[in-house]
Structures are given as C-alpha cells and as structure tokens.
Amino acid sequence: MQFLSTRGGDRVGIDQALQRGLAADGGLYVPERFPSLAPDAFADDLDLAAVSTRLLGAFFDESVLAPALPSICAAALDFPVPLIALADRNDYLLELFHGPSGAFKDVGARFLAEALSRLRHPDQPPVTVLAATSGDTGSAVAAAFHRRPGFRVAVLFPDGRVSARQAHLLSCFGDNVESYRVAGSFDDCQAMVKAAFADRELQRRRPLTSANSISIGRLLPQMGYYALAALQYWREHASPLNFIIPTGNLGNGLAALYARRIGLPIGAIQFATNANQVLAEFLASGDYRPRANITTLANAMDVGAPSNLERLCALLPGLPQSDPTISAAAVTDTAIAARLRFFHQQQGRVICPHTATAAELLARTRAAGDQRGWCVVATAHPAKFEAVVEPLIGATVPIPPTLVPWLARPAQSIALAATADALRDRLSQGA
Ligand SMILES: *Cc1c(COP(=O)(O)O)cnc(C)c1O
C-alpha cells in the first residue's frame, strides 16, 4: 500500500509517511485505497491490540514493520477502551482516557512512538520530537517518548492558557523531555515549530521530527477503538453503532470514517464542535471559512481551521451533499456547562468539557425522536480539567491512578519568548 498526498504531488510507502509527517508538497498523506473487512473477519479479535493489528495489516503490507505489527499494537495499545452502556437504553459512552496521559491522544502517540523506534537505525543521531500543544497532545507525546532511546522531546505550550493540571502534566517528565512555556498563544507555538522545521541549518545540528495530529501514524491506529466498540455492539444488536465525536482538528473523527469505509458496522457520525463552528458551517452549507479560533471551555478543540479537512474532502468528495450520514453542530460554552452538570446529575458520571459537547448533541438527537444506538466518545478524563469541571458539579474529581505518578513528580519548564529565534537558540543550546 502506498500513501498519496492530498495535494497530489507525493506518493510514498507507510514507513516514509510515518517519518515525514507532512507530505513533501505540503499536503497530508492518505491511503491510496482501503481494504475491505467484514465484521466476521474480526471473529477471533477480542481486544484493542488484536482488532488494531488486523485493521492495520493492509496498510503496512509493504512496510519493514509488517512482521512487528502485532508487537507494536500489543505494546502501544495496552490499556482499556471500555464501551459503557448508559442509564438510557441504547445510549453509550466510549471511554478513551485510560492511557498514561488521560486523553485519546495516547493511542496515536504511543503507536507512533513504537513504530518510529523500530524504524530508527541504532547508529542514527538522536532525533527531537517537536510538538506544539494546546494541552493534551504534548503530554501524550511526552509520555509516549519518555526515556525512549534515540529520542528527545521538546514540547511548547502557551503559558497560562492550559489548565494547571495540564501544565503540570506537560512539565513533569524530565529525562529526555523538555517543556517550554511560551509567552504567547497556541498559534504562536505552532508558528515557532513551523519555523524550526523550515530551518535547515538548525536541523543539521539537531534533527527534528513531528508527532502532531496530521501524522498518518497517529490517525490510523485510532480506527481500532471505533472498530472494537462497533463490533461489540454488532454482536449484541446486529445493527451498526452511530457515533458522536468531540472534534477540533478532525483527527479522531476521520479515524471513525476510515473504519467505516473498511467495512466496520458504523452508522451515522456526528461531529460535535465547541463555539469554533467552521466545520459545522462547512457540513451545513459547503462553505469553508477558516478563521482565528476563539477560546472555549473545551480548549483542546479550539480550532479555527481544522487541519484534517483536506483528508475529509479527499475521502468524501462532494460533501456535504455526497453523504447525508455525516453532520456537525457547534455547542456554546453555556450549553457545555449545562450539559456537563446535567449529565452528572442524571448519570452519576463526570465527563470532561469536550465530551460534554457530544453529550449535548446526543440529547438533541434524542429530543428529535431518534431511537438508534448512539455512542458518545469520551476524549479526556475530567480530572485534567478540574478548574472547569469541579465548580460545575460541586465536587472534586478523583485523580485517576494513571495520572497519579506523573502529578507526584515535580514540574519544571523553561520560559521562552514567542519567537522563532528564541526556539532556535534554545534547541541549538541543547544540541
Ligand atoms: C485533541 C482533543 C480533541 C479533538 O480531537 P481532534 O482529533 O483534533 O478532532 C477533543 N477532545 C480532547 C480531550 C482532545 O484532547
């Protein structure tokens, strides 16, 4: 299997696509075709690693990693992704936050780390994984590459614009991980990272690689949890499961569409966004109007120009008319807060503000009389967003055991001005 750039000017195997991140022509890598697998093909696959190994096989058929795929999946995908039946019949919650950093991004980051480790030649100089983060990406990437031989990690986050606990999680790793708190916005962090990747002189001294959400190596393994949940529902109900997915850059959502294309029993898909409503507008009218993002309670989804939209349009040309089973709607901060509180009262479960956008769309869907099986995707543990969540529910959220050891470590980050020069100087010092 080869991978094509969405812009048409690049075609490579998966190994190169994993190492490059972005295609040579600036586009995003997409599979040139999709394998076809019926639910029966997964009859013997009972956990996430087994389902993922089977799903990913065709994408890695020409890769040097093909024989290692089962062990990559076993090592990376070793935590539960439970599908929980809610109090109302036919409502489900898919919890994706039981990995080491408490968010779904652990799945992609850990898979990518296992794959890149095996692609690395032992004689190569260490490579620095450079990641700008608005919150969750940085800690998932840092956890995945922490103490991994041959890799260093540099994480940039906007100082004062992530939750206190997120900031601690981004700064607690030490060893081969450095955290930079940038005096600027997430957009500034991204611009600094872009400038570093464009700086050949810097890269000669300090080889860099990317692990951001446009990497196909993060996207593909995310199909696994949709497949596992849909198969579980299929075996019980003999009908497809429909999903509501909290969405920012569309990486998580696209994985559901990819799994459906392969033949998994996935029905309709709704994307829930916060007040950044570019995607909802696009799927309602076909007009794409990217713009600066606004800050919301669901900060990991504060995206004004979803980077994976190119992949969505490559997969489904002619949207929105071409596929009425896909939709998106925006949820305001007021509705997020009300839903989070009500969900807690009604279900006795605490959800994070991102998950609350999807729970709100589920409530609207039920109010409209839809009786099908719907699954809300829970993208992060609520304890990561304690400052938003705790006042709303009037209780403290216990820290999950996965996060306890990290939060017990001291936090240490380096202050950086929001300029490309500041980052270049810092990275050169450490080279
Ligand atoms: C990253 C993130 C999202 C958005 O995921 P995309 O793949 O960018 O759509 C949603 N919720 C949480 C908690 C996240 O960390």
Side-chain angles (χ1 to χ4, degrees):
M1 165 102 56
Q2 294 288 298
F3 289 75
L4 310 173
S5 165
T6 46
R7 299 189 188 168
D10 194 8
R11 183 172 184 269
V12 297
I14 184 80
D15 300 347
Q16 258 190 306
L18 291 178
Q19 284 168 316
R20 282 197 195 162
L22 200 66
D25 62 357
L28 309 187
Y29 288 118
V30 292
E32 65 176 353
R33 63 193 156 75
F34 285 87
S36 180
L37 290 167
D40 288 350
F42 297 87
D44 299 328
D45 304 326
L46 298 176
D47 62 19
L48 181 63
V51 166
S52 301
T53 302
R54 189 171 308 277
L55 261 178
L56 293 171
F59 298 98
F60 283 80
D61 58 351
E62 293 171 39
S63 165
V64 300
L65 297 175
L69 198 54
S71 57
I72 292 174
C73 290
L77 310 173
D78 62 348
F79 52 87
V81 286
L83 178 67
I84 290 167
L86 294 175
D88 295 304
R89 272 178 48 226
N90 249 351
D91 287 358
Y92 293 83
L93 195 66
L94 178 60
E95 290 186 350
L96 302 181
F97 51 69
H98 297 285
S101 78
F104 81 88
K105 293 184 173 83
D106 284 320
V107 170
R110 285 167 66 79
F111 182 91
L112 187 65
E114 292 293 337
L116 289 181
S117 282
R118 287 168 173 82
L119 286 173
R120 181 180 176 274
H121 193 279
D123 298 339
Q124 276 175 316
V127 62
T128 298
V129 182
L130 189 57
T133 185
S134 61
D136 289 331
T137 295
S139 46
V141 169
F145 286 91
H146 183 224
R147 294 186 180 154
R148 202 170 269 277
F151 291 90
R152 298 162 71 182
V153 179
V155 173
L156 286 77
F157 66 93
D159 196 6
R161 302 195 197 188
V162 301
S163 81
R165 214 166 265 163
Q166 274 181 316
H168 194 112
L169 276 176
L170 286 165
S171 314
C172 67
F173 289 91
D175 303 312
N176 62 335
V177 178
E178 270 191 0
S179 307
Y180 305 141
R181 51 177 206 281
V182 173
S185 66
F186 171 59
D187 288 340
D188 294 328
C189 297
Q190 265 188 319
M192 292 161 72
V193 165
K194 264 197 191 151
F197 277 112
D199 185 338
R200 283 174 189 263
E201 172 58 21
L202 171 64
Q203 292 228 44
R204 203 179 47 73
R205 274 173 287 152
R206 183 138 183 200
L208 300 175
T209 191
S210 147
N212 71 18
S213 75
I214 51 128
S215 169
I216 192 79
R218 281 182 49 183
L219 208 165
L220 292 178
Q222 292 173 175
M223 295 187 298
Y225 45 75
Y226 289 109
L228 187 67
L231 288 165
Q232 212 171 316
Y233 186 83
W234 177 258
R235 285 175 192 134
E236 268 178 44
H237 299 86
S239 62
L241 183 57
N242 308 285
F243 286 94
I244 309 178
I245 306 171
T247 301
N249 272 320
L250 251 178
N252 195 9
L254 211 65
L257 291 171
Y258 278 10
R260 187 173 81 171
R261 172 66 64 90
I262 290 171
L264 275 301
I266 294 169
I269 294 176
Q270 295 186 49
F271 300 116
T273 73
N274 57 29
N276 291 281
Q277 51 189 339
V278 171
L279 183 68
E281 283 171 6
F282 171 68
L283 287 179
S285 67
D287 291 334
Y288 178 54
R289 295 194 294 125
R291 66 197 82 146
N293 65 33
I294 55 175
T295 302
T296 74
L297 294 177
N299 66 5
M301 292 158 42
D302 290 347
V303 174
S307 51
N308 277 300
L309 198 81
E310 265 184 72
R311 283 195 174 110
L312 179 68
C313 295
L315 182 75
L316 297 163
L319 280 177
Q321 287 82 8
S322 63
D323 192 337
T325 68
I326 297 175
S327 60
V331 178
T332 61
D333 272 0
T334 314
I336 289 174
R339 181 55 51 191
L340 202 157
R341 191 188 287 124
F342 191 68
F343 195 92
H344 177 242
Q345 282 165 4
Q346 207 182 28
Q347 307 280 347
R349 284 177 184 278
V350 186
I351 51 177
C352 84
H354 312 82
T355 307
T357 64
E360 169 65 14
L361 294 199
L362 175 62
R364 293 184 197 169
T365 302
R366 292 299 182 217
D370 190 321
Q371 312 221 320
R372 294 174 290 174
W374 280 99
C375 176
V376 164
V377 176
T379 47
H381 195 286
K384 290 186 92 171
F385 304 94
E386 79 288 1
V388 173
V389 173
E390 291 181 349
L392 286 172
I393 62 166
T396 53
V397 182
I399 296 173
T402 43
L403 297 185
V404 168
W406 299 127
L407 292 171
R409 294 164 74 100
Q412 206 173 29
S413 60
I414 295 160
L416 222 55
T419 66
D421 287 352
L423 180 61
R424 191 193 51 232
D425 292 348
R426 182 67 223 173
L427 290 173
S428 305
Q429 270 177 41

